Amino acid sequence: MKEKISIVVPCYNEQNTLPKLVKEVKKLRESLKECTIELILVNDGSSDQTLSVMKELSAVDHDISYLSFSRNFGKEAAMYAGLCNAQGDYIAVMDADLQDPPELLIRMYEVLKTGEYDCAAARRTNRKGEPPIRSWFAKRFYRLLTKISDMELLDGVRDYRLMKRSMVDVIVNMHEYNRFSKGIFEWVGFRKCWIEYENTPRSSGGSKWNFWGLTKYAIDGIVNFSEVPLSIASWLGLFMTSISFLAVIFIVIRKLLIGDPVDGWASTASIIVFIGGLQLFCLGIIGKYLAKVYLETKKRPHFIVSETNMGEIKNVG
Ligand code: UDP
Ligand code: MG
């Protein structure tokens, strides 16, 4: 029997890119005749005609399935829903905008077929076509996260990858609500091979990420995979306590030696403001972790599927 590759594609307002993607996947089928390739399109609450386009595409090609969310749950949830419902022996995650070149999948499949690896993951060697400021921050973020977590996150790593069933089973069984897939893919380990390629611009439309969205994504990545900010907060607390202890001794001695001059209110006020700010900052860090714990304990589903052509599926997960 032929081996099956499932390609999971999260889609948010991708009505123009989907037909192009399907055309590319057809080409891929020509090159990978030894396996069947199924496409799982996940409509992440798009506000354009993405769902109708998915229905049209799946009506003419029975290897195309779709899952449609009841609202926008985000790319992480869309990927998770696809992974939960993919049946393939090999499973890929791919963006809809053709920024993840579909032809790379041929190399990925060849790599996995050798049996030496469990995952073949794409990595961009450059960030051509991306705003320089975004590239700058992204590079710093990956370097920082590598330093403060116990994973190695390389710059330019994409979610785009082909994985063996065994690896996906483990990922699907990680039910954490706050998902940061790049971290999860690293965290689970397994034997990984990097496939490098040059960045390609989006086939149409624009990136769904704005600066604020990316900042939140970065903070999520850090909070989900590192406890270092919490340690920073406690070390800062310890440091400030020691300083204030010394300051108290200094003030007492000064009072005993030279009495109590009235001046010095400006420096006192600055110190109060500074310490107050620091305390709020540390509380903020703790609050961020607490908020994550709060969300995890609620055990809300990651996604809700309102429509699909896949039959019996995991529609709330
Ligand atoms: N996406 C999604 N839900 C969202 C935002 C994005 O499913 O809320 C999908 C989007 O349709 C695309 C992929 O995630 O297939 C990557 O999005 P985008 O191209 O905007 O990100 P970038 O390539 O700029 O990182
Ligand atoms: Mg993109």
Side-chain angles (χ1 to χ4, degrees):
M1 215 172 86
K2 278 186 178 181
E3 284 189 307
K4 186 173 184 175
I5 299 180
S6 307
I7 308 178
V8 172
V9 187
C11 308
Y12 179 56
N13 294 347
E14 302 284 5
Q15 58 178 23
N16 297 324
T17 54
L18 279 184
K20 294 181 204 163
L21 174 77
V22 168
K23 220 180 264 173
E24 290 299 316
V25 170
K26 275 192 186 135
K27 277 193 220 159
L28 206 60
R29 285 195 184 125
E30 293 298 312
S31 324
L32 278 174
K33 285 213 168 78
E34 66 262 49
C35 27
T36 49
I37 299 185
E38 81 164 341
L39 253 187
I40 302 179
L41 306 172
V42 185
N43 174 31
D44 183 17
S46 305
S47 52
D48 65 358
Q49 295 306 309
T50 299
L51 179 58
S52 332
V53 174
M54 284 180 181
K55 285 181 180 169
E56 279 163 28
L57 292 169
S58 60
V60 290
D61 185 336
H62 294 298
D63 282 321
I64 299 182
S65 325
Y66 65 86
L67 296 164
S68 185
F69 285 176
S70 59
R71 66 167 171 86
N72 179 253
F73 280 87
K75 182 185 175 185
E76 291 291 337
M79 284 195 289
Y80 187 53
L83 292 179
C84 286
N85 290 298
Q87 300 297 328
D89 304 294
Y90 298 92
I91 298 157
V93 183
M94 188 192 281
D95 281 1
D97 57 11
L98 297 177
Q99 275 194 303
D100 296 335
E103 64 276 8
L104 276 192
L105 216 59
I106 302 171
R107 264 170 62 202
M108 292 183 179
Y109 178 66
E110 280 165 2
V111 166
L112 293 198
K113 231 176 34 179
T114 61
E116 280 175 48
Y117 296 97
D118 302 298
C119 168
R123 183 175 172 213
R124 290 186 292 189
T125 49
N126 62 28
R127 288 173 169 266
K128 245 188 272 162
E130 197 182 77
I133 182 99
R134 177 171 166 175
S135 311
W136 192 87
F137 273 109
K139 276 201 185 116
R140 297 294 159 305
F141 164 66
Y142 288 118
R143 217 172 281 167
L144 175 73
L145 194 51
T146 300
K147 272 210 184 103
I148 64 175
S149 68
D150 44 16
M151 304 173 302
E152 196 188 357
L153 279 169
L154 302 171
D155 176 44
V157 170
R158 305 280 299 171
D159 288 325
Y160 183 29
R161 58 196 62 216
L162 184 67
M163 294 168 279
K164 278 193 182 160
R165 173 91 254 157
S166 49
M167 179 168 168
V168 173
D169 284 343
V170 173
I171 292 169
V172 164
N173 276 317
M174 289 174 70
H175 300 290
E176 59 201 73
Y177 186 76
N178 303 287
R179 294 187 83 78
F180 177 70
S181 288
K182 281 195 187 114
I184 292 177
F185 292 145
E186 280 308 308
W187 190 89
V188 294
F190 290 94
R191 298 165 303 168
K192 183 178 346 96
C193 172
W194 294 112
I195 310 255
E196 301 197 332
Y197 73 103
E198 297 232 329
N199 193 33
T200 28
R202 217 171 200 285
S203 80
S204 67
S207 172
K208 309 292 180 312
W209 297 90
N210 54 27
F211 194 74
W212 177 234
L214 281 169
T215 311
K216 272 176 64 185
Y217 179 72
I219 293 177
D220 275 351
I222 293 172
V223 174
N224 287 348
F225 282 94
S226 169
E227 281 108 53
V228 170
L230 278 177
S231 322
I232 292 178
S234 28
W235 281 110
L236 261 179
L238 198 67
F239 176 69
M240 293 312 292
T241 316
S242 324
I243 297 245
S244 50
F245 184 67
L246 293 177
V248 168
I249 295 177
F250 171 73
I251 290 165
V252 170
I253 293 177
R254 201 174 75 150
K255 163 97 179 143
L256 291 177
L257 291 183
I258 50 175
D260 191 12
V262 186
D263 59 358
W265 65 270
S267 52
T268 314
S270 320
I271 291 168
I272 292 175
V273 169
F274 175 67
I275 307 245
L278 207 64
Q279 280 176 338
L280 282 182
F281 173 70
C282 294
L283 261 183
I285 294 180
I286 297 167
K288 196 77 204 151
Y289 283 86
L290 189 66
K292 297 275 171 200
V293 176
Y294 176 58
L295 282 174
E296 293 292 345
T297 54
K298 281 202 216 181
K299 294 213 182 324
R300 284 200 179 149
H302 299 80
F303 58 86
I304 299 169
V305 175
S306 57
E307 253 187 280
T308 178
N309 65 342
M310 292 182 84
E312 280 289 300
I313 55 145
K314 185 173 165 69
N315 57 1
V316 175

